mmCIF file with all atom_site columns, all heavy atoms in Angstrom:
data_model
loop_
_atom_site.group_PDB
_atom_site.id
_atom_site.type_symbol
_atom_site.label_atom_id
_atom_site.label_alt_id
_atom_site.label_comp_id
_atom_site.label_asym_id
_atom_site.label_entity_id
_atom_site.label_seq_id
_atom_site.pdbx_PDB_ins_code
_atom_site.Cartn_x
_atom_site.Cartn_y
_atom_site.Cartn_z
_atom_site.occupancy
_atom_site.B_iso_or_equiv
_atom_site.pdbx_formal_charge
_atom_site.auth_seq_id
_atom_site.auth_comp_id
_atom_site.auth_asym_id
_atom_site.auth_atom_id
_atom_site.pdbx_PDB_model_num
ATOM   1   N N   . PHE A 1 60  ? 18.944 15.333 11.338 1.00 98.00 ? 128 PHE A N   1
ATOM   2   C CA  . PHE A 1 60  ? 19.950 14.273 10.925 1.00 98.00 ? 128 PHE A CA  1
ATOM   3   C C   . PHE A 1 60  ? 20.498 13.542 12.089 1.00 98.00 ? 128 PHE A C   1
ATOM   4   O O   . PHE A 1 60  ? 20.619 12.343 12.085 1.00 98.00 ? 128 PHE A O   1
ATOM   5   C CB  . PHE A 1 60  ? 21.044 14.897 10.092 1.00 98.00 ? 128 PHE A CB  1
ATOM   6   C CG  . PHE A 1 60  ? 20.751 15.059 8.611  1.00 98.00 ? 128 PHE A CG  1
ATOM   7   C CD1 . PHE A 1 60  ? 19.561 15.541 8.187  1.00 98.00 ? 128 PHE A CD1 1
ATOM   8   C CD2 . PHE A 1 60  ? 21.742 14.727 7.616  1.00 98.00 ? 128 PHE A CD2 1
ATOM   9   C CE1 . PHE A 1 60  ? 19.306 15.725 6.837  1.00 98.00 ? 128 PHE A CE1 1
ATOM   10  C CE2 . PHE A 1 60  ? 21.435 14.823 6.327  1.00 98.00 ? 128 PHE A CE2 1
ATOM   11  C CZ  . PHE A 1 60  ? 20.279 15.444 5.933  1.00 98.00 ? 128 PHE A CZ  1
ATOM   12  N N   . TYR A 1 63  ? 19.134 10.386 13.664 1.00 98.00 ? 131 TYR A N   1
ATOM   13  C CA  . TYR A 1 63  ? 18.206 9.738  12.737 1.00 98.00 ? 131 TYR A CA  1
ATOM   14  C C   . TYR A 1 63  ? 18.689 8.299  12.400 1.00 98.00 ? 131 TYR A C   1
ATOM   15  O O   . TYR A 1 63  ? 19.796 8.139  11.871 1.00 98.00 ? 131 TYR A O   1
ATOM   16  C CB  . TYR A 1 63  ? 18.168 10.484 11.423 1.00 98.00 ? 131 TYR A CB  1
ATOM   17  C CG  . TYR A 1 63  ? 17.147 10.052 10.379 1.00 98.00 ? 131 TYR A CG  1
ATOM   18  C CD1 . TYR A 1 63  ? 15.799 10.404 10.518 1.00 98.00 ? 131 TYR A CD1 1
ATOM   19  C CD2 . TYR A 1 63  ? 17.530 9.254  9.360  1.00 98.00 ? 131 TYR A CD2 1
ATOM   20  C CE1 . TYR A 1 63  ? 14.841 10.044 9.630  1.00 98.00 ? 131 TYR A CE1 1
ATOM   21  C CE2 . TYR A 1 63  ? 16.575 8.820  8.441  1.00 98.00 ? 131 TYR A CE2 1
ATOM   22  C CZ  . TYR A 1 63  ? 15.274 9.223  8.593  1.00 98.00 ? 131 TYR A CZ  1
ATOM   23  O OH  . TYR A 1 63  ? 14.382 8.768  7.637  1.00 98.00 ? 131 TYR A OH  1
ATOM   24  N N   . TYR A 1 66  ? 22.224 8.201  13.300 1.00 98.00 ? 134 TYR A N   1
ATOM   25  C CA  . TYR A 1 66  ? 23.280 8.979  12.499 1.00 98.00 ? 134 TYR A CA  1
ATOM   26  C C   . TYR A 1 66  ? 23.992 9.887  13.444 1.00 98.00 ? 134 TYR A C   1
ATOM   27  O O   . TYR A 1 66  ? 23.273 10.693 14.210 1.00 98.00 ? 134 TYR A O   1
ATOM   28  C CB  . TYR A 1 66  ? 22.656 9.682  11.319 1.00 98.00 ? 134 TYR A CB  1
ATOM   29  C CG  . TYR A 1 66  ? 23.727 10.358 10.481 1.00 98.00 ? 134 TYR A CG  1
ATOM   30  C CD1 . TYR A 1 66  ? 24.613 9.606  9.731  1.00 98.00 ? 134 TYR A CD1 1
ATOM   31  C CD2 . TYR A 1 66  ? 23.884 11.739 10.551 1.00 98.00 ? 134 TYR A CD2 1
ATOM   32  C CE1 . TYR A 1 66  ? 25.598 10.171 8.954  1.00 98.00 ? 134 TYR A CE1 1
ATOM   33  C CE2 . TYR A 1 66  ? 24.912 12.360 9.852  1.00 98.00 ? 134 TYR A CE2 1
ATOM   34  C CZ  . TYR A 1 66  ? 25.769 11.550 9.025  1.00 98.00 ? 134 TYR A CZ  1
ATOM   35  O OH  . TYR A 1 66  ? 26.807 12.239 8.344  1.00 98.00 ? 134 TYR A OH  1
ATOM   36  N N   . CYS A 1 71  ? 25.808 15.292 6.426  1.00 99.00 ? 139 CYS A N   1
ATOM   37  C CA  . CYS A 1 71  ? 26.477 14.191 5.690  1.00 99.00 ? 139 CYS A CA  1
ATOM   38  C C   . CYS A 1 71  ? 27.472 14.928 4.809  1.00 99.00 ? 139 CYS A C   1
ATOM   39  O O   . CYS A 1 71  ? 27.020 15.651 3.932  1.00 99.00 ? 139 CYS A O   1
ATOM   40  C CB  . CYS A 1 71  ? 25.530 13.349 4.936  1.00 99.00 ? 139 CYS A CB  1
ATOM   41  S SG  . CYS A 1 71  ? 24.248 12.449 5.854  1.00 99.00 ? 139 CYS A SG  1
ATOM   42  N N   . HIS A 1 80  ? 25.857 10.048 2.658  1.00 98.00 ? 148 HIS A N   1
ATOM   43  C CA  . HIS A 1 80  ? 25.830 9.679  4.108  1.00 98.00 ? 148 HIS A CA  1
ATOM   44  C C   . HIS A 1 80  ? 27.249 9.490  4.591  1.00 98.00 ? 148 HIS A C   1
ATOM   45  O O   . HIS A 1 80  ? 27.461 8.799  5.524  1.00 98.00 ? 148 HIS A O   1
ATOM   46  C CB  . HIS A 1 80  ? 25.081 8.375  4.334  1.00 98.00 ? 148 HIS A CB  1
ATOM   47  C CG  . HIS A 1 80  ? 23.690 8.373  3.950  1.00 98.00 ? 148 HIS A CG  1
ATOM   48  N ND1 . HIS A 1 80  ? 22.871 7.272  3.726  1.00 98.00 ? 148 HIS A ND1 1
ATOM   49  C CD2 . HIS A 1 80  ? 22.856 9.546  3.641  1.00 98.00 ? 148 HIS A CD2 1
ATOM   50  C CE1 . HIS A 1 80  ? 21.641 7.695  3.408  1.00 98.00 ? 148 HIS A CE1 1
ATOM   51  N NE2 . HIS A 1 80  ? 21.624 9.053  3.336  1.00 98.00 ? 148 HIS A NE2 1
ATOM   52  N N   . ASP A 1 97  ? 24.983 17.518 2.796  1.00 99.00 ? 165 ASP A N   1
ATOM   53  C CA  . ASP A 1 97  ? 23.571 17.201 2.855  1.00 99.00 ? 165 ASP A CA  1
ATOM   54  C C   . ASP A 1 97  ? 23.232 17.407 4.285  1.00 99.00 ? 165 ASP A C   1
ATOM   55  O O   . ASP A 1 97  ? 23.705 16.827 5.154  1.00 99.00 ? 165 ASP A O   1
ATOM   56  C CB  . ASP A 1 97  ? 23.336 15.776 2.408  1.00 99.00 ? 165 ASP A CB  1
ATOM   57  C CG  . ASP A 1 97  ? 21.844 15.424 2.226  1.00 99.00 ? 165 ASP A CG  1
ATOM   58  O OD1 . ASP A 1 97  ? 21.001 16.245 2.551  1.00 99.00 ? 165 ASP A OD1 1
ATOM   59  O OD2 . ASP A 1 97  ? 21.562 14.226 1.953  1.00 99.00 ? 165 ASP A OD2 1
ATOM   60  N N   . ASP A 1 112 ? 15.360 19.951 4.215  1.00 98.00 ? 180 ASP A N   1
ATOM   61  C CA  . ASP A 1 112 ? 16.464 19.028 3.898  1.00 98.00 ? 180 ASP A CA  1
ATOM   62  C C   . ASP A 1 112 ? 16.996 19.449 2.536  1.00 98.00 ? 180 ASP A C   1
ATOM   63  O O   . ASP A 1 112 ? 16.131 19.626 1.616  1.00 98.00 ? 180 ASP A O   1
ATOM   64  C CB  . ASP A 1 112 ? 15.805 17.558 3.838  1.00 98.00 ? 180 ASP A CB  1
ATOM   65  C CG  . ASP A 1 112 ? 16.776 16.589 3.202  1.00 98.00 ? 180 ASP A CG  1
ATOM   66  O OD1 . ASP A 1 112 ? 17.899 16.717 3.173  1.00 98.00 ? 180 ASP A OD1 1
ATOM   67  O OD2 . ASP A 1 112 ? 16.137 15.538 2.754  1.00 98.00 ? 180 ASP A OD2 1
ATOM   68  N N   . HIS A 1 184 ? 11.830 12.615 -2.025 1.00 98.00 ? 252 HIS A N   1
ATOM   69  C CA  . HIS A 1 184 ? 10.778 12.245 -1.177 1.00 98.00 ? 252 HIS A CA  1
ATOM   70  C C   . HIS A 1 184 ? 9.935  13.420 -0.787 1.00 98.00 ? 252 HIS A C   1
ATOM   71  O O   . HIS A 1 184 ? 10.438 14.560 -0.845 1.00 98.00 ? 252 HIS A O   1
ATOM   72  C CB  . HIS A 1 184 ? 11.408 11.680 0.157  1.00 98.00 ? 252 HIS A CB  1
ATOM   73  C CG  . HIS A 1 184 ? 12.459 12.556 0.703  1.00 98.00 ? 252 HIS A CG  1
ATOM   74  N ND1 . HIS A 1 184 ? 12.257 13.501 1.691  1.00 98.00 ? 252 HIS A ND1 1
ATOM   75  C CD2 . HIS A 1 184 ? 13.795 12.645 0.364  1.00 98.00 ? 252 HIS A CD2 1
ATOM   76  C CE1 . HIS A 1 184 ? 13.364 14.148 1.931  1.00 98.00 ? 252 HIS A CE1 1
ATOM   77  N NE2 . HIS A 1 184 ? 14.373 13.646 1.149  1.00 98.00 ? 252 HIS A NE2 1
ATOM   78  N N   . HIS A 1 191 ? 11.014 12.449 5.879  1.00 98.00 ? 259 HIS A N   1
ATOM   79  C CA  . HIS A 1 191 ? 10.677 11.518 4.747  1.00 98.00 ? 259 HIS A CA  1
ATOM   80  C C   . HIS A 1 191 ? 9.232  11.219 4.784  1.00 98.00 ? 259 HIS A C   1
ATOM   81  O O   . HIS A 1 191 ? 8.742  10.595 5.635  1.00 98.00 ? 259 HIS A O   1
ATOM   82  C CB  . HIS A 1 191 ? 11.560 10.333 4.795  1.00 98.00 ? 259 HIS A CB  1
ATOM   83  C CG  . HIS A 1 191 ? 12.965 10.555 4.610  1.00 98.00 ? 259 HIS A CG  1
ATOM   84  N ND1 . HIS A 1 191 ? 14.001 10.192 5.402  1.00 98.00 ? 259 HIS A ND1 1
ATOM   85  C CD2 . HIS A 1 191 ? 13.630 11.304 3.592  1.00 98.00 ? 259 HIS A CD2 1
ATOM   86  C CE1 . HIS A 1 191 ? 15.200 10.569 4.969  1.00 98.00 ? 259 HIS A CE1 1
ATOM   87  N NE2 . HIS A 1 191 ? 14.981 11.226 3.908  1.00 98.00 ? 259 HIS A NE2 1
ATOM   88  N N   . GLU A 1 217 ? 16.419 15.337 -5.571 1.00 98.00 ? 285 GLU A N   1
ATOM   89  C CA  . GLU A 1 217 ? 17.797 15.183 -5.283 1.00 98.00 ? 285 GLU A CA  1
ATOM   90  C C   . GLU A 1 217 ? 18.488 14.098 -6.092 1.00 98.00 ? 285 GLU A C   1
ATOM   91  O O   . GLU A 1 217 ? 18.760 13.063 -5.556 1.00 98.00 ? 285 GLU A O   1
ATOM   92  C CB  . GLU A 1 217 ? 17.912 14.821 -3.719 1.00 98.00 ? 285 GLU A CB  1
ATOM   93  C CG  . GLU A 1 217 ? 16.971 13.693 -3.194 1.00 98.00 ? 285 GLU A CG  1
ATOM   94  C CD  . GLU A 1 217 ? 17.363 13.439 -1.678 1.00 98.00 ? 285 GLU A CD  1
ATOM   95  O OE1 . GLU A 1 217 ? 18.438 13.512 -1.335 1.00 98.00 ? 285 GLU A OE1 1
ATOM   96  O OE2 . GLU A 1 217 ? 16.452 13.228 -0.901 1.00 98.00 ? 285 GLU A OE2 1
ATOM   97  N N   . TRP A 1 234 ? 26.856 3.377  7.195  1.00 98.00 ? 302 TRP A N   1
ATOM   98  C CA  . TRP A 1 234 ? 26.432 4.641  6.616  1.00 98.00 ? 302 TRP A CA  1
ATOM   99  C C   . TRP A 1 234 ? 27.051 4.983  5.292  1.00 98.00 ? 302 TRP A C   1
ATOM   100 O O   . TRP A 1 234 ? 26.349 5.146  4.299  1.00 98.00 ? 302 TRP A O   1
ATOM   101 C CB  . TRP A 1 234 ? 26.639 5.762  7.582  1.00 98.00 ? 302 TRP A CB  1
ATOM   102 C CG  . TRP A 1 234 ? 25.640 5.829  8.702  1.00 98.00 ? 302 TRP A CG  1
ATOM   103 C CD1 . TRP A 1 234 ? 25.916 5.432  10.041 1.00 98.00 ? 302 TRP A CD1 1
ATOM   104 C CD2 . TRP A 1 234 ? 24.242 6.179  8.684  1.00 98.00 ? 302 TRP A CD2 1
ATOM   105 N NE1 . TRP A 1 234 ? 24.680 5.554  10.790 1.00 98.00 ? 302 TRP A NE1 1
ATOM   106 C CE2 . TRP A 1 234 ? 23.688 6.087  9.966  1.00 98.00 ? 302 TRP A CE2 1
ATOM   107 C CE3 . TRP A 1 234 ? 23.374 6.668  7.571  1.00 98.00 ? 302 TRP A CE3 1
ATOM   108 C CZ2 . TRP A 1 234 ? 22.363 6.338  10.230 1.00 98.00 ? 302 TRP A CZ2 1
ATOM   109 C CZ3 . TRP A 1 234 ? 22.107 6.915  7.941  1.00 98.00 ? 302 TRP A CZ3 1
ATOM   110 C CH2 . TRP A 1 234 ? 21.567 6.751  9.225  1.00 98.00 ? 302 TRP A CH2 1
ATOM   111 N N   . GLU A 1 248 ? 20.419 18.803 -3.976 1.00 99.00 ? 316 GLU A N   1
ATOM   112 C CA  . GLU A 1 248 ? 18.976 18.609 -3.474 1.00 99.00 ? 316 GLU A CA  1
ATOM   113 C C   . GLU A 1 248 ? 18.434 19.897 -3.000 1.00 99.00 ? 316 GLU A C   1
ATOM   114 O O   . GLU A 1 248 ? 19.088 20.714 -2.305 1.00 99.00 ? 316 GLU A O   1
ATOM   115 C CB  . GLU A 1 248 ? 18.964 17.716 -2.232 1.00 99.00 ? 316 GLU A CB  1
ATOM   116 C CG  . GLU A 1 248 ? 17.651 17.577 -1.578 1.00 99.00 ? 316 GLU A CG  1
ATOM   117 C CD  . GLU A 1 248 ? 17.662 16.697 -0.382 1.00 99.00 ? 316 GLU A CD  1
ATOM   118 O OE1 . GLU A 1 248 ? 18.697 16.407 0.147  1.00 99.00 ? 316 GLU A OE1 1
ATOM   119 O OE2 . GLU A 1 248 ? 16.570 16.224 0.060  1.00 99.00 ? 316 GLU A OE2 1
HETATM 120 N N1  . MF3 B 2 .   ? 19.134 13.938 3.646  1.00 97.51 ? 549 MF3 B N1  1
HETATM 121 C C1  . MF3 B 2 .   ? 18.923 12.573 3.319  1.00 97.51 ? 549 MF3 B C1  1
HETATM 122 C C2  . MF3 B 2 .   ? 17.871 12.649 2.289  1.00 97.51 ? 549 MF3 B C2  1
HETATM 123 O O1  . MF3 B 2 .   ? 17.927 13.470 1.466  1.00 97.51 ? 549 MF3 B O1  1
HETATM 124 C C3  . MF3 B 2 .   ? 18.697 11.742 4.492  1.00 97.51 ? 549 MF3 B C3  1
HETATM 125 C C4  . MF3 B 2 .   ? 19.887 11.646 5.387  1.00 97.51 ? 549 MF3 B C4  1
HETATM 126 S S1  . MF3 B 2 .   ? 19.766 10.457 6.528  1.00 97.51 ? 549 MF3 B S1  1
HETATM 127 C C5  . MF3 B 2 .   ? 20.787 10.903 7.779  1.00 97.51 ? 549 MF3 B C5  1
HETATM 128 O O2  . MF3 B 2 .   ? 16.812 12.052 2.284  1.00 97.51 ? 549 MF3 B O2  1
HETATM 129 F F1  . MF3 B 2 .   ? 20.686 9.950  8.638  1.00 97.51 ? 549 MF3 B F1  1
HETATM 130 F F2  . MF3 B 2 .   ? 21.980 11.048 7.381  1.00 97.51 ? 549 MF3 B F2  1
HETATM 131 F F3  . MF3 B 2 .   ? 20.359 12.003 8.396  1.00 97.51 ? 549 MF3 B F3  1
#
Side-chain angles (χ1 to χ4, degrees):
F128 276 43
Y131 186 82
Y134 186 73
C139 298
H148 302 166
D165 187 0
D180 171 21
H252 49 92
H259 294 126
E285 50 177 321
W302 284 106
E316 171 180 22

